[in-house]
Amino acid sequence: MRGFAIAVIAAQVLTQIGAFTLPALLPEYLDRWNLSATEAGWLIGAFFAAYVVVVPVLVSLTDRLPARRIYLLGTGLTAASHLGFALVADGFWSGLILRAMAGVGWAGCYMPGLKVIAERLEGDAQSRAVSWHAAGVGIAGAVSFAVAGFWAMLGGAEAAFLFSGMAALVAFAIGAVVMPRNAPRPPAVPRRLLDFRPVLRNRAATGWIIGYTVHTWELAALRAWAVTFLTLAIARMGAPDWLPGPTALFTAAGLAGIAISITGNETAQRFGRARVVAWAMAAGALMSVLTGLSAWVSAPLAALAVLLWNAAIYLDSSALTAGTVQAAGPELRGATMGLHSMCGYAGGFVGPVGVGLALDLLGPGNPAAWALAFGHLALVTLAGLFLLRRVSAAAPRSAAAAP
C-alpha cells in the first residue's frame, strides 16, 4: 500500500513539475509577445478557468469509472500542452489555448490521483497521505520555478517546456502501470453526474471548500506574479550580491512552504483545524498588504515579504484539503472533492487576472500598483475567513470540529 501511494505521488510530482514554467518565465514572455499585464493574467488564469469547467465532470466520473482512465487522459493532455508551448506557441492566442489544455490535463490528474490514494486509507493514515500528496504536488510546483530557470538558461524557454512535457509523459507511464483498472462500486442511490446539492447540504465540507477557494485565489495570484514582482523590484532598487535571483527566491519560498504545509496539518490535528486555518488566513491577509508596500522600500525586504506571505498561505493548505476529505461522505467523496477543486481553482483563475488588472490600472513599474494588486487580496482572504466560520457554525459540532 505504501509503495502504491509513493508511486502515485511521484507521478503527480512529474505532472506538476512544469505547471509553473510560464509564471517562472513570465518576464521574458511579457517582452517576447508584447503582452499587457491583463493579457499575462489571462494566460496564467486560463489554466485555472479550464480546470474549473471540466473538473466537476472528470472527478465525478471517478465515482463511476476507473480513476486510471481519467488520470491517463489528464497526463496525456498535460504533456501535449507543454510540448505545444515548446514547438508551436507564438503569441497570446496560441498560448491561451495551450494553457487551457494544461488546465484540463491537471483536472484529470490532481483530484483523481488524490482520490485513488484516499480510497485505500482511513483515519489518521488517510489524513497524512493526503498531506504528503499535497506536499509532493507543492514541492513540484516550487521546484518548477528553478527547473524552468535552469532549462531556460541552457536552451531557452522552449527547452524548459520540452522538459516539462517529457516529465508528464513519464507520469503517464507510471499511471498506466500502477493504477487499478477496476471501476468503483456504483452509488447506492443513483444521482445526476453534476448534481452537487447533496454535497452542499454537508455544511462542514462546504465550509472547508470556501476556505480552499480563497486559499487558491491568494496562492495563484502570488505564484503568477511573484517572479515578475521580484524582477521589477531588483531592477528598480538594485540588490546586494548575496540576494539570489527571482526564480531561485520563489523556489526557496515554495520549498519552505511545503514543510509549513505538513506542519500545519499536524498542528491542526493537535490544536484543531478551524483554529489553525483562522491563524493562517489572518496572517496571509496581513502579509499581502505588507508585500505590496515592500516595493517602496528595498529588494531584500520585498524578497522577505514574499517568503513570509507564501509561508502564511501554505500553513493551511493541507489542513483545508484534509478537512474536505474527512467531512465528505464515502458515497459522495468524488463529487465532494470535485466541487472542492472546482471552487478552489475558480479562485485560482480570478487571482492572477485581478492582479493583472490592478497593474495595468497604474502601470507595473509603479510601486503603488503593486500595493493595490497584492493588497486587495487581504479583503478577499478576510471575507473568505468570515464565510468559512459562518457556514461551518451551522454544521453538526462533530463534523465542524473534526481534527
Side-chain angles (χ1 to χ4, degrees):
M1 192 70 68
R2 181 180 297 178
F4 170 79
I6 291 173
V8 174
I9 291 171
Q12 297 288 66
V13 167
L14 289 169
T15 305
Q16 180 75 343
I17 199 69
F20 301 107
T21 301
L22 182 60
L25 305 178
L26 189 58
E28 175 179 344
Y29 278 93
L30 283 167
D31 293 334
R32 179 189 290 196
W33 290 350
N34 194 27
L35 300 172
S36 68
T38 302
E39 287 174 330
W42 272 96
L43 280 180
I44 305 299
F47 174 93
F48 297 95
Y51 183 101
V52 168
V53 171
V54 301
V55 74
V57 176
L58 294 183
V59 179
S60 295
L61 279 174
T62 64
D63 285 333
R64 307 180 183 212
L65 300 174
R68 177 179 182 272
R69 296 185 189 177
I70 310 301
Y71 191 83
L72 294 181
L73 172 66
T75 50
L77 287 174
T78 299
S81 169
H82 294 319
L83 295 174
F85 241 97
L87 304 173
V88 177
D90 60 358
F92 173 76
W93 290 108
S94 59
L96 192 70
I97 293 170
L98 290 168
R99 285 287 295 171
M101 185 185 298
V104 175
W106 188 233
C109 296
Y110 182 35
M111 283 295 167
L114 178 59
K115 184 170 183 281
V116 168
I117 295 174
E119 285 179 335
R120 296 195 172 196
L121 299 171
E122 295 180 354
D124 287 347
Q126 182 192 73
S127 180
R128 287 189 172 90
V130 169
S131 178
W132 280 105
H133 178 275
V137 170
I139 288 171
V143 172
S144 69
F145 286 88
V147 168
F150 172 77
W151 284 105
M153 180 180 64
L154 291 182
E158 292 77 10
F161 279 105
L162 183 62
F163 171 82
S164 301
M166 298 304 295
L169 289 177
V170 175
F172 180 96
I174 293 174
V177 170
V178 306
M179 288 190 171
R181 298 173 180 268
N182 56 300
R185 291 182 180 181
V189 179
R191 60 182 178 81
R192 295 178 181 177
L193 183 63
L194 299 181
D195 183 7
F196 292 110
R197 287 175 297 178
V199 177
L200 294 173
R201 285 195 288 268
N202 184 337
R203 305 288 285 186
T206 302
W208 299 124
I209 289 170
I210 291 171
Y212 183 72
T213 300
V214 173
H215 163 82
T216 310
W217 185 323
E218 188 181 16
L219 179 59
L222 180 59
R223 279 177 169 173
W225 290 102
V227 171
T228 302
F229 170 71
L230 292 172
T231 299
L232 291 174
I234 291 172
R236 178 176 179 271
M237 295 175 286
D241 293 339
W242 53 263
L243 189 69
T247 56
L249 279 169
F250 202 65
T251 294
L255 291 174
I258 305 311
I260 292 167
S261 177
I262 297 171
T263 302
N265 188 59
E266 295 295 326
T267 304
Q269 293 192 23
R270 181 176 179 181
F271 296 104
R273 185 170 286 118
R275 183 178 299 173
V276 171
V277 168
W279 292 344
M281 295 179 76
L286 175 63
M287 289 311 305
S288 65
V289 174
L290 295 180
T291 301
L293 294 174
S294 69
W296 294 87
V297 184
S298 70
L301 183 62
L304 177 61
V306 165
L307 289 170
L308 293 176
W309 184 16
N310 190 72
I313 295 172
Y314 267 100
L315 181 60
D316 63 0
S317 178
S318 295
L320 288 166
T321 299
T324 300
V325 170
Q326 290 194 333
E331 73 284 357
L332 291 173
R333 183 167 286 145
T336 303
M337 293 168 66
L339 184 63
H340 171 92
S341 199
M342 180 181 70
C343 292
Y345 276 60
F349 162 68
V350 176
V353 175
V355 172
L357 288 169
L359 291 175
D360 276 340
L361 184 64
L362 299 178
N366 184 346
W370 291 101
L372 174 63
F374 285 163
H376 86 277
L377 294 169
L379 298 177
V380 175
T381 303
L382 293 176
L385 176 58
F386 171 79
L387 291 174
L388 186 159
R389 295 174 70 89
R390 183 74 177 267
V391 171
S392 297
R397 181 175 294 274
S398 60

